[in-house]
Amino acid sequence: RYAQRMSSRRRLQAARLVNGVEPTRPVTILDAWGGDGYVSREICASWPRATCTVLEIPTVARIAGEACAGHPRIAVVAGDQLTGDPAAALGGEAADVVVLSHVLQGLTERRRRELSAQIARVLAPGGCLLSSEFVLRWNDRDSLDVLLWTVARTAANWQGDALSASEQDLLLRGSGLAAVASWWVTHSSRAVLGVKPAAGVEPALRPVAAGT
């Protein structure tokens, strides 16, 4: 029930995330910790040459399997985390695109760096990381967001650290990805597009009307 409520809240964010970019070729997508597949369904509705694999923990993977039934271009794989060879979720193949939607924000700084590096390894040359996270803007206008985030973190005994826009960009560069574009999908959720550079290879995604 929790996963279904969260997915309902984030469907509009998924549309704004997907509408910020477009594929340059047929793409294979790994939707890591993709909830019930709400981003993958939006992708397949918008990009007719995309195929998606949703990776989730077993309990949520069952929900994703039901929600994505009838979507032939979406597969669901049960797995706890991307460890060892992350491409195992794709049958050993590299991904053109990895999607992270509201995943990094709940992790410690060290785990964010580790996961970002793992994601970079699963990307094919010219592959892209498309990530959307809750980001604190850290200014007077948004001081209430900072307060509410702190209260929620304390109440839930959450071990993650607050994520800022600069830290979000540094995660891309620290993983060897080129930070290509960023845009706000909501007042507090910021999307970034990172590309794995490769000579002579066009990036799998390009920005449409993304603003910084």
Side-chain angles (χ1 to χ4, degrees):
R1 288 196 298 270
Y2 174 77
Q4 290 170 338
R5 287 197 302 270
M6 293 303 293
S7 294
S8 177
R9 291 176 55 189
R10 289 175 177 164
R11 282 177 190 133
L12 177 59
Q13 297 182 37
R16 291 175 175 171
L17 174 65
V18 173
N19 290 339
V21 291
E22 62 183 9
T24 60
R25 57 179 181 266
V27 288
T28 299
I29 296 168
L30 177 60
D31 186 0
W33 295 280
D36 74 346
Y38 61 97
V39 174
S40 288
R41 293 196 299 276
E42 185 65 34
I43 285 174
C44 287
S46 302
W47 304 345
R49 298 191 299 169
T51 57
C52 298
T53 297
V54 178
L55 176 65
E56 257 297 357
I57 60 174
T59 51
V60 182
R62 288 196 294 270
I63 297 171
E66 296 171 359
C68 296
H71 294 266
R73 289 184 285 125
I74 300 177
V76 178
V77 175
D80 191 13
Q81 56 185 349
L82 294 175
T83 57
D85 179 13
L90 299 171
E93 298 294 326
D96 296 305
V97 178
V98 174
V99 175
L100 290 179
S101 180
H102 299 276
V103 173
L104 299 174
Q105 65 195 35
L107 305 177
T108 63
E109 182 179 353
R110 177 180 176 180
R111 183 62 185 125
R112 287 172 185 161
R113 293 195 303 266
E114 293 172 346
L115 178 56
S116 297
Q118 290 172 327
I119 293 299
R121 287 196 294 269
V122 82
L123 288 172
C128 295
L129 170 62
L130 182 61
S131 177
S132 178
E133 301 291 339
F134 175 73
V135 171
L136 295 177
R137 299 199 186 205
W138 299 107
N139 57 40
D140 291 340
R141 177 170 177 258
D142 299 309
S143 57
L144 180 59
D145 281 349
V146 177
L147 175 61
L148 292 176
W149 188 92
T150 303
V151 171
R153 175 189 176 191
T154 303
N157 194 27
W158 194 12
Q159 299 303 307
D161 301 312
L163 187 64
S164 68
S166 60
E167 290 167 336
Q168 196 180 25
D169 294 339
L170 284 172
L171 283 172
L172 295 180
R173 297 188 178 96
S175 303
L177 303 179
V180 174
S182 65
W183 63 103
W184 292 92
V185 295
T186 69
H187 175 73
S188 57
S189 291
R190 182 176 182 261
V192 292
L193 174 64
V195 176
K196 186 173 186 177
V201 179
E202 185 180 20
L205 300 177
R206 61 186 170 213
V208 174
T212 55

Short mmCIF file of all heavy atoms in Angstrom, two decimals, residues 27-44 50-58 60-79 87-91 97 99:
data_model
loop_
_atom_site.label_atom_id
_atom_site.label_comp_id
_atom_site.label_asym_id
_atom_site.label_seq_id
_atom_site.Cartn_x
_atom_site.Cartn_y
_atom_site.Cartn_z
N VAL A 27 16.53 2.36 -27.01
CA VAL A 27 17.27 2.32 -25.75
C VAL A 27 16.78 1.20 -24.84
O VAL A 27 15.58 0.89 -24.78
CB VAL A 27 17.17 3.67 -24.99
CG1 VAL A 27 18.01 4.73 -25.68
CG2 VAL A 27 15.72 4.13 -24.86
N THR A 28 17.75 0.59 -24.15
CA THR A 28 17.48 -0.39 -23.10
C THR A 28 17.67 0.31 -21.76
O THR A 28 18.73 0.89 -21.51
CB THR A 28 18.43 -1.58 -23.21
OG1 THR A 28 18.25 -2.22 -24.47
CG2 THR A 28 18.17 -2.59 -22.10
N ILE A 29 16.66 0.24 -20.92
CA ILE A 29 16.63 1.05 -19.70
C ILE A 29 16.55 0.16 -18.46
O ILE A 29 15.74 -0.77 -18.41
CB ILE A 29 15.44 2.02 -19.73
CG1 ILE A 29 15.62 3.01 -20.88
CG2 ILE A 29 15.29 2.77 -18.40
CD1 ILE A 29 14.39 3.82 -21.18
N LEU A 30 17.40 0.46 -17.48
CA LEU A 30 17.30 -0.16 -16.16
C LEU A 30 16.71 0.85 -15.20
O LEU A 30 17.31 1.89 -14.93
CB LEU A 30 18.68 -0.61 -15.67
CG LEU A 30 18.71 -1.23 -14.27
CD1 LEU A 30 17.84 -2.48 -14.19
CD2 LEU A 30 20.15 -1.56 -13.85
N ASP A 31 15.52 0.57 -14.72
CA ASP A 31 14.81 1.43 -13.77
C ASP A 31 15.10 0.87 -12.38
O ASP A 31 14.40 -0.02 -11.89
CB ASP A 31 13.31 1.41 -14.09
CG ASP A 31 12.50 2.39 -13.27
OD1 ASP A 31 13.09 3.10 -12.43
OD2 ASP A 31 11.28 2.44 -13.46
N ALA A 32 16.18 1.37 -11.76
CA ALA A 32 16.69 0.78 -10.52
C ALA A 32 15.87 1.25 -9.33
O ALA A 32 15.68 2.44 -9.12
CB ALA A 32 18.16 1.15 -10.34
N TRP A 33 15.38 0.30 -8.53
CA TRP A 33 14.48 0.58 -7.41
C TRP A 33 13.31 1.43 -7.92
O TRP A 33 13.01 2.50 -7.39
CB TRP A 33 15.22 1.25 -6.26
CG TRP A 33 16.25 0.35 -5.68
CD1 TRP A 33 16.05 -0.67 -4.78
CD2 TRP A 33 17.64 0.35 -5.95
NE1 TRP A 33 17.23 -1.30 -4.51
CE2 TRP A 33 18.22 -0.69 -5.20
CE3 TRP A 33 18.46 1.12 -6.78
CZ2 TRP A 33 19.59 -0.99 -5.25
CZ3 TRP A 33 19.82 0.83 -6.83
CH2 TRP A 33 20.35 -0.21 -6.07
N GLY A 34 12.65 0.90 -8.94
CA GLY A 34 11.65 1.66 -9.69
C GLY A 34 10.25 1.62 -9.13
O GLY A 34 9.30 1.95 -9.86
N GLY A 35 10.07 1.23 -7.87
CA GLY A 35 8.72 1.21 -7.29
C GLY A 35 7.82 0.27 -8.06
O GLY A 35 8.20 -0.87 -8.37
N ASP A 36 6.62 0.73 -8.38
CA ASP A 36 5.71 -0.14 -9.13
C ASP A 36 5.88 0.03 -10.64
O ASP A 36 5.05 -0.42 -11.42
CB ASP A 36 4.26 0.11 -8.72
CG ASP A 36 3.69 1.42 -9.27
OD1 ASP A 36 4.49 2.26 -9.76
OD2 ASP A 36 2.46 1.61 -9.21
N GLY A 37 6.99 0.67 -11.04
CA GLY A 37 7.26 0.85 -12.47
C GLY A 37 6.64 2.08 -13.06
O GLY A 37 6.49 2.18 -14.28
N TYR A 38 6.31 3.06 -12.22
CA TYR A 38 5.61 4.25 -12.72
C TYR A 38 6.45 5.04 -13.73
O TYR A 38 5.91 5.57 -14.70
CB TYR A 38 5.17 5.15 -11.56
CG TYR A 38 6.27 5.71 -10.69
CD1 TYR A 38 6.77 6.98 -10.90
CD2 TYR A 38 6.79 4.96 -9.65
CE1 TYR A 38 7.78 7.49 -10.10
CE2 TYR A 38 7.79 5.46 -8.84
CZ TYR A 38 8.29 6.73 -9.07
OH TYR A 38 9.29 7.22 -8.28
N VAL A 39 7.78 5.10 -13.52
CA VAL A 39 8.62 5.80 -14.50
C VAL A 39 8.73 4.97 -15.78
O VAL A 39 8.66 5.51 -16.89
CB VAL A 39 10.02 6.08 -13.92
CG1 VAL A 39 10.93 6.68 -15.00
CG2 VAL A 39 9.93 7.03 -12.73
N SER A 40 8.89 3.68 -15.65
CA SER A 40 8.99 2.82 -16.84
C SER A 40 7.73 2.89 -17.69
O SER A 40 7.80 2.92 -18.93
CB SER A 40 9.26 1.37 -16.42
OG SER A 40 10.58 1.22 -15.93
N ARG A 41 6.57 2.93 -17.05
CA ARG A 41 5.33 3.03 -17.83
C ARG A 41 5.26 4.36 -18.57
O ARG A 41 4.81 4.42 -19.72
CB ARG A 41 4.12 2.84 -16.91
CG ARG A 41 4.02 1.44 -16.32
CD ARG A 41 2.63 1.15 -15.75
NE ARG A 41 2.27 2.06 -14.68
CZ ARG A 41 2.62 1.88 -13.40
NH1 ARG A 41 3.37 0.85 -13.05
NH2 ARG A 41 2.23 2.73 -12.47
N GLU A 42 5.71 5.42 -17.92
CA GLU A 42 5.72 6.73 -18.58
C GLU A 42 6.71 6.73 -19.74
O GLU A 42 6.43 7.29 -20.81
CB GLU A 42 6.10 7.81 -17.57
CG GLU A 42 6.03 9.23 -18.10
CD GLU A 42 4.63 9.67 -18.47
OE1 GLU A 42 3.68 9.24 -17.79
OE2 GLU A 42 4.50 10.43 -19.46
N ILE A 43 7.86 6.11 -19.55
CA ILE A 43 8.85 6.03 -20.61
C ILE A 43 8.30 5.28 -21.82
O ILE A 43 8.41 5.73 -22.97
CB ILE A 43 10.13 5.35 -20.09
CG1 ILE A 43 10.92 6.31 -19.19
CG2 ILE A 43 11.01 4.85 -21.24
CD1 ILE A 43 12.12 5.69 -18.52
N CYS A 44 7.70 4.12 -21.57
CA CYS A 44 7.20 3.32 -22.69
C CYS A 44 6.03 4.00 -23.40
O CYS A 44 5.84 3.82 -24.61
CB CYS A 44 6.80 1.93 -22.21
SG CYS A 44 8.23 0.88 -21.83
N ALA A 50 11.75 2.15 -26.68
CA ALA A 50 12.41 1.87 -25.40
C ALA A 50 11.91 0.56 -24.81
O ALA A 50 10.73 0.21 -24.93
CB ALA A 50 12.13 3.00 -24.41
N THR A 51 12.82 -0.18 -24.19
CA THR A 51 12.46 -1.36 -23.39
C THR A 51 13.02 -1.16 -21.99
O THR A 51 14.14 -0.67 -21.82
CB THR A 51 13.03 -2.66 -23.99
OG1 THR A 51 14.45 -2.55 -24.12
CG2 THR A 51 12.42 -2.91 -25.37
N CYS A 52 12.26 -1.53 -20.97
CA CYS A 52 12.61 -1.23 -19.58
C CYS A 52 12.67 -2.49 -18.74
O CYS A 52 11.87 -3.42 -18.93
CB CYS A 52 11.59 -0.27 -18.96
SG CYS A 52 11.48 1.34 -19.76
N THR A 53 13.59 -2.49 -17.79
CA THR A 53 13.64 -3.50 -16.75
C THR A 53 13.55 -2.79 -15.40
O THR A 53 14.38 -1.92 -15.10
CB THR A 53 14.94 -4.32 -16.81
OG1 THR A 53 15.00 -5.03 -18.04
CG2 THR A 53 15.00 -5.31 -15.66
N VAL A 54 12.55 -3.13 -14.61
CA VAL A 54 12.37 -2.56 -13.28
C VAL A 54 13.04 -3.48 -12.28
O VAL A 54 12.72 -4.67 -12.20
CB VAL A 54 10.88 -2.39 -12.93
CG1 VAL A 54 10.72 -1.83 -11.52
CG2 VAL A 54 10.17 -1.50 -13.94
N LEU A 55 13.99 -2.94 -11.52
CA LEU A 55 14.66 -3.70 -10.47
C LEU A 55 14.15 -3.22 -9.13
O LEU A 55 14.23 -2.04 -8.81
CB LEU A 55 16.18 -3.50 -10.57
CG LEU A 55 17.02 -4.15 -9.47
CD1 LEU A 55 16.91 -5.67 -9.53
CD2 LEU A 55 18.49 -3.73 -9.59
N GLU A 56 13.63 -4.15 -8.33
CA GLU A 56 13.09 -3.79 -7.01
C GLU A 56 13.26 -4.96 -6.04
O GLU A 56 13.51 -6.10 -6.45
CB GLU A 56 11.60 -3.42 -7.10
CG GLU A 56 11.31 -1.93 -7.03
CD GLU A 56 11.71 -1.29 -5.71
OE1 GLU A 56 12.16 -2.00 -4.79
OE2 GLU A 56 11.56 -0.06 -5.57
N ILE A 57 13.12 -4.64 -4.74
CA ILE A 57 13.15 -5.70 -3.74
C ILE A 57 11.95 -6.61 -3.97
O ILE A 57 10.94 -6.19 -4.56
CB ILE A 57 13.15 -5.12 -2.32
CG1 ILE A 57 11.90 -4.27 -2.07
CG2 ILE A 57 14.41 -4.31 -2.07
CD1 ILE A 57 11.76 -3.79 -0.63
N PRO A 58 12.01 -7.88 -3.55
CA PRO A 58 10.97 -8.85 -3.92
C PRO A 58 9.55 -8.41 -3.60
O PRO A 58 8.65 -8.61 -4.42
CB PRO A 58 11.37 -10.10 -3.12
CG PRO A 58 12.86 -10.00 -3.02
CD PRO A 58 13.15 -8.53 -2.86
N VAL A 60 8.20 -5.40 -3.36
CA VAL A 60 7.75 -4.35 -4.27
C VAL A 60 7.74 -4.85 -5.71
O VAL A 60 6.92 -4.42 -6.52
CB VAL A 60 8.63 -3.09 -4.13
CG1 VAL A 60 8.13 -1.97 -5.04
CG2 VAL A 60 8.64 -2.60 -2.69
N ALA A 61 8.66 -5.77 -6.04
CA ALA A 61 8.68 -6.34 -7.39
C ALA A 61 7.36 -7.03 -7.72
O ALA A 61 6.89 -6.98 -8.87
CB ALA A 61 9.84 -7.31 -7.53
N ARG A 62 6.73 -7.64 -6.72
CA ARG A 62 5.42 -8.26 -6.96
C ARG A 62 4.39 -7.20 -7.34
O ARG A 62 3.56 -7.41 -8.24
CB ARG A 62 4.96 -9.04 -5.72
CG ARG A 62 5.75 -10.31 -5.47
CD ARG A 62 5.04 -11.22 -4.49
NE ARG A 62 4.96 -10.62 -3.16
CZ ARG A 62 5.87 -10.79 -2.22
NH1 ARG A 62 6.95 -11.51 -2.48
NH2 ARG A 62 5.73 -10.24 -1.03
N ILE A 63 4.42 -6.07 -6.66
CA ILE A 63 3.51 -4.97 -6.99
C ILE A 63 3.80 -4.45 -8.39
O ILE A 63 2.88 -4.20 -9.18
CB ILE A 63 3.64 -3.84 -5.95
CG1 ILE A 63 3.23 -4.34 -4.57
CG2 ILE A 63 2.80 -2.63 -6.36
CD1 ILE A 63 3.52 -3.36 -3.45
N ALA A 64 5.09 -4.30 -8.70
CA ALA A 64 5.47 -3.81 -10.03
C ALA A 64 5.03 -4.77 -11.12
O ALA A 64 4.57 -4.35 -12.19
CB ALA A 64 6.98 -3.60 -10.09
N GLY A 65 5.14 -6.07 -10.85
CA GLY A 65 4.71 -7.06 -11.83
C GLY A 65 3.23 -6.93 -12.15
O GLY A 65 2.82 -7.04 -13.31
N GLU A 66 2.41 -6.68 -11.12
CA GLU A 66 0.98 -6.50 -11.33
C GLU A 66 0.69 -5.18 -12.05
O GLU A 66 -0.12 -5.13 -12.99
CB GLU A 66 0.25 -6.53 -9.99
CG GLU A 66 0.34 -7.86 -9.26
CD GLU A 66 -0.21 -7.78 -7.85
OE1 GLU A 66 -0.66 -6.68 -7.43
OE2 GLU A 66 -0.20 -8.82 -7.14
N ALA A 67 1.37 -4.11 -11.64
CA ALA A 67 1.12 -2.79 -12.23
C ALA A 67 1.56 -2.72 -13.69
O ALA A 67 0.98 -1.98 -14.49
CB ALA A 67 1.81 -1.71 -11.42
N CYS A 68 2.60 -3.48 -14.03
CA CYS A 68 3.16 -3.43 -15.40
C CYS A 68 2.65 -4.57 -16.28
O CYS A 68 3.10 -4.70 -17.42
CB CYS A 68 4.68 -3.46 -15.34
SG CYS A 68 5.41 -2.01 -14.52
N ALA A 69 1.74 -5.37 -15.76
CA ALA A 69 1.15 -6.43 -16.59
C ALA A 69 0.45 -5.79 -17.79
O ALA A 69 -0.24 -4.79 -17.66
CB ALA A 69 0.17 -7.26 -15.76
N GLY A 70 0.64 -6.37 -18.95
CA GLY A 70 0.05 -5.78 -20.15
C GLY A 70 0.97 -4.79 -20.84
O GLY A 70 0.60 -4.24 -21.88
N HIS A 71 2.16 -4.57 -20.26
CA HIS A 71 3.16 -3.71 -20.90
C HIS A 71 4.29 -4.61 -21.40
O HIS A 71 5.22 -4.92 -20.64
CB HIS A 71 3.70 -2.67 -19.91
CG HIS A 71 2.68 -1.67 -19.46
ND1 HIS A 71 2.52 -0.45 -20.06
CD2 HIS A 71 1.76 -1.73 -18.45
CE1 HIS A 71 1.54 0.21 -19.46
NE2 HIS A 71 1.08 -0.54 -18.48
N PRO A 72 4.24 -5.03 -22.66
CA PRO A 72 5.20 -6.03 -23.14
C PRO A 72 6.65 -5.55 -23.17
O PRO A 72 7.58 -6.36 -23.22
CB PRO A 72 4.70 -6.34 -24.55
CG PRO A 72 3.89 -5.15 -24.95
CD PRO A 72 3.27 -4.65 -23.69
N ARG A 73 6.87 -4.23 -23.11
CA ARG A 73 8.25 -3.73 -23.16
C ARG A 73 8.81 -3.46 -21.77
O ARG A 73 9.87 -2.86 -21.63
CB ARG A 73 8.31 -2.46 -24.02
CG ARG A 73 8.11 -2.75 -25.51
CD ARG A 73 8.28 -1.50 -26.37
NE ARG A 73 7.13 -0.61 -26.27
CZ ARG A 73 7.19 0.67 -25.92
NH1 ARG A 73 8.35 1.22 -25.61
NH2 ARG A 73 6.10 1.41 -25.87
N ILE A 74 8.10 -3.93 -20.73
CA ILE A 74 8.58 -3.76 -19.36
C ILE A 74 8.73 -5.13 -18.71
O ILE A 74 7.78 -5.91 -18.66
CB ILE A 74 7.62 -2.90 -18.51
CG1 ILE A 74 7.45 -1.50 -19.13
CG2 ILE A 74 8.15 -2.78 -17.09
CD1 ILE A 74 6.47 -0.63 -18.38
N ALA A 75 9.94 -5.41 -18.21
CA ALA A 75 10.18 -6.62 -17.43
C ALA A 75 10.47 -6.19 -15.99
O ALA A 75 10.95 -5.09 -15.74
CB ALA A 75 11.37 -7.39 -17.99
N VAL A 76 10.16 -7.08 -15.05
CA VAL A 76 10.38 -6.80 -13.63
C VAL A 76 11.32 -7.86 -13.06
O VAL A 76 11.08 -9.06 -13.26
CB VAL A 76 9.07 -6.77 -12.84
CG1 VAL A 76 9.34 -6.52 -11.36
CG2 VAL A 76 8.12 -5.71 -13.40
N VAL A 77 12.36 -7.43 -12.38
CA VAL A 77 13.35 -8.32 -11.78
C VAL A 77 13.43 -8.03 -10.29
O VAL A 77 13.53 -6.87 -9.89
CB VAL A 77 14.73 -8.15 -12.43
CG1 VAL A 77 15.78 -9.01 -11.72
CG2 VAL A 77 14.69 -8.50 -13.91
N ALA A 78 13.38 -9.09 -9.47
CA ALA A 78 13.51 -8.93 -8.03
C ALA A 78 14.98 -8.98 -7.64
O ALA A 78 15.72 -9.87 -8.04
CB ALA A 78 12.73 -10.03 -7.30
N GLY A 79 15.42 -7.97 -6.88
CA GLY A 79 16.79 -7.92 -6.41
C GLY A 79 16.92 -6.88 -5.32
O GLY A 79 16.21 -5.88 -5.34
N ALA A 87 24.88 -5.44 -14.29
CA ALA A 87 24.26 -5.80 -15.56
C ALA A 87 23.51 -7.13 -15.47
O ALA A 87 22.78 -7.49 -16.40
CB ALA A 87 25.31 -5.87 -16.66
N ALA A 88 23.65 -7.85 -14.34
CA ALA A 88 22.94 -9.12 -14.19
C ALA A 88 21.44 -8.95 -14.32
O ALA A 88 20.73 -9.84 -14.79
CB ALA A 88 23.30 -9.76 -12.85
N ALA A 89 20.93 -7.80 -13.88
CA ALA A 89 19.49 -7.54 -14.00
C ALA A 89 19.06 -7.46 -15.45
O ALA A 89 17.87 -7.64 -15.77
CB ALA A 89 19.12 -6.24 -13.29
N LEU A 90 20.01 -7.23 -16.36
CA LEU A 90 19.71 -7.15 -17.79
C LEU A 90 20.26 -8.35 -18.55
O LEU A 90 20.48 -8.29 -19.75
CB LEU A 90 20.30 -5.86 -18.38
CG LEU A 90 19.77 -4.55 -17.79
CD1 LEU A 90 20.59 -3.38 -18.30
CD2 LEU A 90 18.31 -4.37 -18.15
N GLY A 91 20.49 -9.43 -17.82
CA GLY A 91 21.01 -10.62 -18.48
C GLY A 91 22.45 -10.47 -18.92
O GLY A 91 22.88 -11.12 -19.87
N VAL A 97 20.41 3.42 -20.62
CA VAL A 97 19.94 4.41 -19.65
C VAL A 97 19.69 3.71 -18.32
O VAL A 97 19.10 2.63 -18.29
CB VAL A 97 18.65 5.10 -20.11
CG1 VAL A 97 18.17 6.11 -19.06
CG2 VAL A 97 18.84 5.80 -21.46
N VAL A 99 17.77 4.70 -14.73
CA VAL A 99 16.90 5.67 -14.07
C VAL A 99 16.97 5.46 -12.57
O VAL A 99 16.82 4.33 -12.09
CB VAL A 99 15.43 5.53 -14.55
CG1 VAL A 99 14.53 6.47 -13.75
CG2 VAL A 99 15.32 5.84 -16.04
#
